[in-house]
Amino acid sequence: TAAGLPTYLNRGLSLSHAELCTQLGAELLSLCQSVTADGRLTPEELDGLRQWLREAESAEMPAVKHLRGVIAKVLADGKITPDEYGEVYRAVEAALPFEQRRQAMSARLEVEAEETAARVASGPGGQPVVRRIGAVVALAVLLAAAAAWFLA
């Protein structure tokens, strides 16, 4: 599949104007917009997407075939990692027409920036930097008190 390709190379996978004029195309557009609205894919959204793809088994649009392939690959081992959720999100993103895809990408990039900022704000082992600084200050105070007591 083209899931690993940059979104701009997935043009052949996006819903065409003709496909958007069909009932299945309009349903898929609505579902994809709903899934990508907040920039992340939840397990419930993935289940809804899987259910729609099962119910729309007659749909032969390139976007539908692509989504089925990506989801099948991701579910092959029975568990979904955060990276695999991202892969499915990007596959949904690729199915969207250009303007909706830009909105979905913007939402995803905002979430990714927030997650990166949260990781940066956390030190090794997930401890917030402020907590670690507080521990260092407390240790320095204890050492100073111990040294003063020892020298007195």
Side-chain angles (χ1 to χ4, degrees), residues 23-107:
Q23 181 180 349
L24 287 175
E27 287 176 8
L28 181 57
L29 173 64
S30 177
L31 180 59
C32 290
Q33 285 180 302
S34 170
V35 164
T36 59
D38 64 356
R40 65 190 68 185
L41 180 69
T42 65
E44 295 79 20
E45 290 169 333
L46 178 58
D47 288 342
L49 184 59
R50 289 176 59 210
Q51 180 179 345
W52 186 88
L53 290 169
R54 269 195 308 273
E55 291 171 1
E57 64 185 44
S58 65
E60 292 298 320
M61 297 174 266
V64 172
K65 291 178 181 178
H66 177 65
L67 287 169
R68 283 185 183 133
V70 170
I71 291 172
K73 183 183 116 192
V74 161
L75 294 175
D77 64 358
K79 57 186 172 197
I80 306 174
T81 66
D83 286 343
E84 289 172 329
Y85 273 107
E87 185 176 346
V88 174
Y89 183 97
R90 286 185 300 280
V92 171
E93 201 174 79
L96 291 167
F98 180 74
E99 188 56 40
Q100 290 85 352
R101 187 178 328 129
R102 279 186 16 175
Q103 293 168 358
M105 284 178 62
S106 177

Side-chain angles (χ1 to χ4, degrees), residues 141-152:
V141 169
L142 282 172
L143 288 173
W149 178 77
F150 225 38
L151 296 173

